[in-house]
Amino acid sequence: MNERPRGIESVLVVGTGLIGTSVALALREHGVTVKLTDQSPGAVRVACELGAGDEWEPGGDRVDLAVIAVPPQFVADWLLDLQKTEAARFYTDVASVKALPIEQARRLGCDMSAYVAGHPLAGRERSGPGAARADVFLGRPWAYCPGRETSPRAVAAVLSLIELCGGNAVKVDPVAHDEAVALISHAPHVAASAVAARLVGASDTALGLAGPGVRDVTRVAGGDPDLWTVILSGNARPVAEVLEAVATDLAAAAAALRAVSVDDDGAIARVTELLRRGNAGRSRIPGKHGGPARAYAVVQVLVGDRPGELARLFQVAQDAGVNIEDVRLEHAPGLPLGAAELSVQPESAEVLAEALRSHGWHVP
């Protein structure tokens, strides 16, 4: 059996966008030598200035691992070009679609024994190297898809990459991966964009009434449309199937609601059934640390829009021995204050509320 590598000491990152630069920053924190390249000289320059690595000079020393951080349609071409020059011992990618680049790489005649397709399920609504963070992968699933031909040493190198970046390695079949991300990421992005698109012609009155509900539903719609068009076209069939199923549910709900207006007694029950299925589906989303979803109690407290307010709030929770599981801020339109919603274990809710009141916080 081939000896497993003790780790990776040098990495080439191809593509210095959000994910590529975040990978580079994470590796640099562990002393890995990182080389960077991108079709945009400006993006490489920004990534270098952030401390993500040094610009790659083709023909230089061979690296242990090349991380191809480009849209899925271009992964195979980069893989072939890099392998022709023996730029790295092993290769992976971080594209959000897996079946397409693997199929294209095989068709181009790439060395599949040295390549492990990968996808860290992490990111932000912002894009570009300036949005990169070394901690973006911490605790996040990182799918990897070795094939029949894949060398154990190539797999070990990619597992080392995932470990250094703080990700949680998940071995998955490429087709199953694409169907999964269509359901949990790609189709929801389109659905959120469809809801957000309704706001383009909304009245000032409607927008003035907007609260956390519409912000939650449309949050991911802030992503780069050009980037998402590339992602969606690379996973078109699975995404279309999910959207068609969602559209069927929405059409049925719309028809039922129209029937309510003509006194159809059974119509509202059909809407309720969809809402209940929504409750059931949401309850299946894993909770903290990947465990079962937990029902937290929410303590709401009014917070002034001043420096240090949140720090004081968290200090009170710490002194009371209460762990804050999640926090959400909602600003009050036209007022220099907002509401912080602190999610805590149910048994800790009253303890935290009393501690906050005793320190002068207004807890409704």
Side-chain angles (χ1 to χ4, degrees):
M1 176 182 286
N2 290 330
E3 180 184 356
R4 292 171 65 91
R6 283 178 281 180
I8 51 176
E9 298 180 358
S10 58
V11 170
L12 166 63
V13 175
V14 179
T16 51
L18 166 64
I19 298 299
T21 305
S22 293
V23 168
L25 289 170
L27 293 175
R28 289 296 301 133
E29 288 196 344
H30 293 278
V32 176
T33 298
V34 179
K35 299 297 182 181
L36 306 168
T37 188
D38 194 292
Q39 289 184 326
S40 167
V44 174
R45 185 166 56 252
V46 171
C48 290
E49 290 172 352
L50 290 171
D54 299 314
E55 188 168 358
W56 178 56
E57 296 181 8
D61 292 340
R62 191 184 196 193
V63 298
D64 293 327
L65 179 68
V67 179
I68 304 172
V70 301
Q73 289 89 336
F74 308 118
V75 168
D77 288 332
W78 267 105
L79 177 62
L80 181 64
D81 289 344
L82 292 171
Q83 288 186 339
K84 282 180 177 178
T85 60
E86 298 185 340
R89 297 166 61 212
F90 306 110
Y91 304 83
T92 188
D93 73 281
V94 292
S96 62
V97 177
K98 296 276 67 82
L100 176 67
I102 291 173
E103 176 189 349
Q104 291 178 334
R106 284 202 177 102
R107 191 165 61 242
L108 289 174
C110 296
D111 177 7
M112 303 302 289
S113 69
Y115 168 57
V116 183
H119 174 211
L121 281 92
R124 306 176 68 190
E125 284 71 61
R126 297 170 58 199
S127 60
R133 291 198 329 237
D135 63 355
V136 76
F137 308 110
L138 292 180
R140 298 297 304 159
W142 191 311
Y144 70 105
C145 310
R148 295 183 305 275
E149 321 94 315
T150 309
S151 155
R153 300 185 71 197
V155 174
V158 171
L159 290 176
S160 179
L161 167 73
I162 297 171
E163 181 180 1
L164 288 170
C165 291
N168 176 29
V170 181
K171 183 179 179 181
V172 63
D173 172 80
V175 174
H177 167 276
D178 290 355
E179 291 174 348
V181 294
L183 178 63
I184 65 167
S185 175
H186 299 170
H189 189 97
V190 179
S193 297
V195 174
R198 299 299 91 210
L199 302 178
V200 172
S203 67
D204 291 342
T205 299
L207 295 175
L209 295 173
V214 72
R215 289 188 176 89
D216 286 349
V217 171
T218 60
R219 180 180 60 83
V220 296
D224 182 349
D226 294 330
L227 173 61
W228 271 96
T229 298
V230 174
I231 291 171
L232 294 169
S233 62
N235 200 26
R237 182 193 56 77
V239 175
E241 290 176 354
V242 176
L243 290 176
E244 286 163 356
V246 172
T248 297
D249 278 342
L250 291 176
L257 289 170
R258 288 192 179 280
V260 169
S261 64
V262 294
D263 299 325
D264 181 341
D265 293 337
I268 199 63
R270 296 194 290 275
V271 177
T272 303
E273 189 271 337
L274 174 60
L275 298 177
R276 285 178 175 154
R277 279 196 287 129
N279 283 168
R282 189 178 187 281
S283 70
R284 295 195 64 202
I285 299 173
K288 191 175 181 181
H289 307 309
R294 293 288 306 272
Y296 296 120
V298 175
V299 176
Q300 188 178 74
V301 55
L302 297 184
V303 180
D305 190 8
R306 297 183 296 273
E309 288 292 275
L310 285 179
R312 290 201 308 116
L313 192 68
F314 295 151
Q315 186 63 53
V316 172
Q318 178 180 331
D319 293 343
V322 175
N323 184 48
I324 296 176
E325 307 287 347
D326 199 0
V327 60
R328 186 215 304 258
L329 294 175
E330 179 64 21
H331 298 283
L335 296 175
L337 55 83
E341 295 183 351
L342 309 176
S343 296
V344 299
Q345 297 290 345
E347 61 271 19
S348 300
E350 191 55 36
V351 174
L352 178 59
E354 285 303 317
L356 289 169
R357 291 190 186 103
S358 68
H359 284 77
W361 295 90
H362 179 69
V363 180

